[in-house]
Amino acid sequence: MMLVQASPEFVTHIMRDPRVWRWVAEDGVSPGDVRYQPTATYFQFQDKGFVMFRRVTQRMREIHVATRRGDATLVSFIHECLDEMRHRGAAKFIAPIGDWNVAALRLARRCGFVEEGRITGAYVRDGEPRALIMMGGC
């Protein structure tokens, strides 16, 4: 499969899609905060979403996946994106995920990520403090 860079318009369209937005809004993000980040790398996943990488350090990238719906090819697509980013010099990947987001945690584990730490009280959900789970992968 050939990786395609997602355009700013496509990224914004996906982020504002009601099937994606509800998950984004849970993190306390407002619609005005949703914008394409020109310093990040975005790979388009069919017409369903994207995988975004943001530079943290020289060798580490933060990964975020935003899709309307996944399918059987999503995991292999993410692996292809990870391989491309390794080719570009990344050696470590992190995925920060809210502890309530079972689907995202399951996807991260299917992609080879493991829990490397928790930041307790990072979110408040339904009046209760919740943790941010730091998933890591190489």
Side-chain angles (χ1 to χ4, degrees), residues 42-54:
Y42 296 86
F43 296 110
Q44 185 170 332
F45 176 60
Q46 303 166 4
D47 65 343
K48 300 176 183 179
F50 61 85
V51 176
M52 184 266 278
F53 293 91
R54 183 173 28 228

Side-chain angles (χ1 to χ4, degrees), residues 41-113:
T41 302
Y42 296 86
F43 296 110
Q44 185 170 332
F45 176 60
Q46 303 166 4
D47 65 343
K48 300 176 183 179
F50 61 85
V51 176
M52 184 266 278
F53 293 91
R54 183 173 28 228
R55 183 181 179 146
V56 177
T57 68
Q58 177 83 16
R59 297 172 41 89
M60 184 167 53
R61 302 295 183 275
E62 184 177 314
I63 179 175
H64 293 273
V65 178
T67 63
R68 291 185 189 126
R69 61 193 176 281
D71 64 27
T73 64
L74 181 57
V75 171
S76 61
F77 179 78
I78 292 170
H79 280 289
E80 190 172 351
C81 294
L82 292 167
D83 288 344
E84 175 62 23
M85 294 308 292
R86 283 186 200 97
H87 177 74
R88 295 180 185 194
K92 176 72 177 176
F93 301 95
I94 58 170
I97 302 171
D99 66 354
W100 65 88
N101 195 338
V102 177
L105 291 166
R106 187 176 333 121
L107 176 62
R109 288 184 182 103
R110 288 179 56 211
C111 292
F113 285 72

Side-chain angles (χ1 to χ4, degrees), residues 124-137:
V124 175
R125 188 176 157 105
D126 298 327
E128 297 294 321
R130 300 299 297 259
L132 174 68
I133 299 175
M134 296 303 293
M135 300 294 286

